[in-house]
Amino acid sequence: QEPLTASMVAAALPHEQKQMIGERLYPLVYEIHSQLANKITGMLLEIDSSELLLMLESPESLHAKVEEALAVLQAHQAME
Amino acid sequence: RKSTLNPNAKEFNPRSFSQPK
């Protein structure tokens, strides 16, 4: 699978852009946390596309964001 | 620092990814 580039994303329709990025992001998130991969990917997709593209290229920053999303989710669940 | 991530975000449903068994 060829890497997703900013120009590929820019060429897509606005509602397709996040889906395109999500398709790449989901398997990576799934490797880190399979049970919450759908939820965590959905949370990460609210981040700017340009930042998401950088995260796809950087396992360290992706990992940090997944951990951050998990912490936010756990804090949210604890409040309910 | 407070996270900007939203715990109420909609779940993402992949079209193409098949989950490994």
Side-chain angles (χ1 to χ4, degrees):
Chain A
Q1 202 177 24
E2 58 186 305
L4 195 62
T5 64
S7 56
M8 286 162 68
V9 173
L13 294 168
H15 72 276
E16 282 284 315
Q17 292 180 354
K18 295 287 184 174
Q19 184 75 30
M20 275 175 86
I21 296 171
E23 298 289 343
R24 305 297 181 110
L25 203 54
Y26 182 81
L28 302 174
V29 174
Y30 190 90
E31 282 180 30
I32 302 169
H33 205 293
S34 58
Q35 288 190 327
L36 289 171
N38 298 75
K39 184 69 184 178
I40 293 172
T41 305
M43 287 170 72
L44 297 185
L45 284 175
E46 294 192 341
I47 300 170
D48 280 349
S49 296
S50 56
E51 194 178 332
L52 289 170
L53 287 171
L54 293 174
M55 271 163 49
L56 285 174
E57 302 296 319
S58 164
E60 295 83 10
S61 45
L62 175 66
H63 220 282
K65 267 304 182 205
V66 171
E67 294 293 330
E68 185 183 329
L70 271 173
V72 168
L73 268 183
Q74 282 164 0
H76 179 71
Q77 282 162 0
M79 277 197 303
E80 287 183 337
Chain B
R1 186 177 70 87
K2 192 162 173 359
S3 175
T4 55
L5 294 172
N6 169 22
N8 296 312
K10 197 161 134 309
E11 289 192 9
F12 175 76
N13 293 305
R15 281 192 291 232
S16 55
F17 183 67
S18 54
Q19 300 190 348
K21 289 262 155 33

